[in-house]
C-alpha cells in the first residue's frame, strides 16, 4: 500500500530538548516536504527536498532542520524546540514539486 | 506571498443534497490546482486536481470548476454522504510551489 509514515503521532516535550520527527515513503518519490498546520493559517511549508541531498527552505523554516540522506526518509529536526512550535505537522511526498499527492497521518507536537 | 482563501469556513449540508465548496485564489499565474479532504485526526487526502488550461474536471461524485476570469475554484460533491464530513482545502501551484487555503468544514446532516 502506498503510504507516507510519520512517527511519532503525538509528542509532548519541554522547551530546548532536541527532537526528531521521522517521515518515510514507500513510493520512490523524489519530492518530499514538511508542513505545519495551525488553526486559521492552513498548511504552511517548512522545508522541502527535491531529491537526495537536495533540500531547501519553505515559508516558515526558522527553528527547523531537515536531512535527506536516502530517498525514502525525510526527518524533521527541532534542535531547540520552543512553545511557538506547538503545532500539527505533516510530511508529504509526490513525483514532482508542487504536486503533493500523499500526506502522512500527522504528528501533533506540544512544547511546554 | 499570495495565498489561497476559501469563501466560507463552514458548510452544513443535508445528506443526499449536492455540496458546493468555493475557493478564491489570488495569483493569476497559478497553473495547477488541487482539492484535498481532511478528516478528523488524519492527513490531507488528494481528491481531484485541475490544470489552468481546463475549466472543468469530473471524478467520482466530485466535479471541480475553474473560472480563471474571476480567479475562482469550486468543488461540487454530488449526493453528499455522512462520510463526506471533513475539512476541504484548495491549493494552488505557482512556480512549482503549493499554497493552501485555511479550509471549509463540511458537516453532513442526517
Amino acid at each position: 500500500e502506498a503510504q507516507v509514515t510519520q512517527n511519532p503521532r503525538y509528542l509532548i516535550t519541554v522547551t530546548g530538548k532536541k527532537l526528531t520527527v521521522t517521515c518515510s515513503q514507500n513510493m520512490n518519490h523524489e519530492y518530499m516536504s514538511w508542513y505545519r498546520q495551525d488553526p486559521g493559517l492552513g498548511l504552511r511549508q517548512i522545508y522541502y527536498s527535491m531529491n537526495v541531498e537536495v533540500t531547501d527552505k519553505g515559508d516558515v523554516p526558522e527553528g527547523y532542520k531537515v536531512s535527506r540522506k536516502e530517498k525514502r526518509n525525510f526527518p524533521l529536526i527541532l534542535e531547540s524546540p520552543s512553545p511557538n512550535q506547538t503545532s500539527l505537522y505533516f510530511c508529504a511526498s509526490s513525483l514532482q514539486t508542487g504536486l503533493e499527492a500523499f500526506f502522512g497521518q500527522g504528528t501533533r507536537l506540544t512544547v511546554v | 506571498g499570495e495565498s489561497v482563501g476559501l469563501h466560507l469556513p463552514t458548510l452544513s449540508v443535508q445528506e443526499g443534497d449536492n455540496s458546493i465548496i468555493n475557493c478564491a485564489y489570488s495569483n493569476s499565474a497559478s497553473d495547477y490546482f488541487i482539492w484535498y479532504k481532511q478528516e478528523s485526526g488524519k492527513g490531507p487526502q488528494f481528491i481531484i486536481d485541475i490544470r489552468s488550461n481546463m475549466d472543468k474536471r469530473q471524478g467520482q461524485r466530485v466535479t471541480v470548476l475553474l473560472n480563471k476570469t474571476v480567479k475562482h475554484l469550486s468543488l461540487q460533491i454530488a449526493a453528499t454522504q455522512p462520510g463526506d464530513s471533513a475539512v476541504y482545502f484548495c491549493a494552488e501551484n505557482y512556480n512549482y510551489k503549493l499554497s493552501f487555503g485555511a479550509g471549509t468544514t463540511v458537516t453532513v446532516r442526517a
Side-chain angles (χ1 to χ4, degrees):
Chain A
E1 181 190 353
Q3 59 185 2
V4 177
T5 304
Q6 294 178 227
N7 280 295
R9 292 289 313 277
Y10 302 92
L11 180 60
I12 300 174
T13 190
V14 297
T15 299
K17 185 177 181 182
K18 181 180 178 180
L19 67 92
T20 299
V21 183
T22 64
C23 174
S24 180
Q25 50 96 1
N26 62 359
M27 296 164 279
N28 202 37
H29 285 164
E30 292 187 348
Y31 181 77
M32 297 183 74
S33 54
W34 275 102
Y35 291 84
R36 61 178 290 173
Q37 186 177 39
D38 302 288
L41 296 177
L43 286 157
R44 294 180 293 167
Q45 191 180 61
I46 302 170
Y47 267 94
Y48 64 94
S49 169
M50 297 179 75
N51 213 327
V52 175
E53 301 292 1
V54 181
T55 64
D56 209 344
K57 297 177 181 178
D59 297 319
V60 289
E62 293 77 22
Y64 304 95
K65 284 175 58 176
V66 292
S67 70
R68 188 91 182 274
K69 293 185 171 59
E70 353 165 50
K71 200 177 218 182
R72 63 182 292 121
N73 296 322
F74 189 43
L76 179 70
I77 303 154
L78 284 72
E79 295 271 2
S80 183
S82 62
N84 65 10
Q85 292 178 298
T86 292
S87 187
L88 181 57
Y89 291 87
F90 289 102
C91 180
S93 78
S94 63
L95 284 171
Q96 61 185 83
T97 310
L99 299 180
E100 278 82 334
F102 294 89
F103 281 82
Q105 293 283 71
T107 296
R108 184 166 293 281
L109 172 66
T110 302
V111 184
V112 297
Chain B
E2 294 174 296
S3 62
V4 176
L6 291 169
H7 288 307
L8 291 173
T10 62
L11 178 67
S12 180
V13 182
Q14 184 69 39
E15 182 178 355
D17 286 353
N18 296 336
S19 303
I20 300 176
I21 306 164
N22 294 305
C23 175
Y25 65 95
S26 56
N27 192 336
S28 57
S30 292
D31 58 4
Y32 178 68
F33 304 87
I34 305 175
W35 277 101
Y36 294 91
K37 172 186 180 183
Q38 186 175 18
E39 297 175 272
S40 182
K42 296 185 179 180
Q45 176 187 3
F46 177 100
I47 303 173
I48 192 168
D49 59 357
I50 188 168
R51 295 202 175 274
S52 59
N53 60 354
M54 304 170 68
D55 52 20
K56 180 179 181 179
R57 189 158 189 232
Q58 288 184 287
Q60 188 176 16
R61 277 202 310 120
V62 295
T63 301
V64 56
L65 300 177
L66 176 62
N67 186 331
K68 294 182 288 294
T69 302
V70 295
K71 290 184 287 187
H72 184 267
L73 193 68
S74 69
L75 178 70
Q76 300 177 2
I77 305 174
T80 309
Q81 302 168 0
D84 295 327
S85 291
V87 179
Y88 291 82
F89 303 88
C90 65
E92 64 175 325
N93 182 316
Y94 170 67
N95 200 25
Y96 302 103
K97 188 178 182 307
L98 279 182
S99 296
F100 293 82
T104 292
T105 300
V106 173
T107 303
V108 181
R109 306 189 305 272

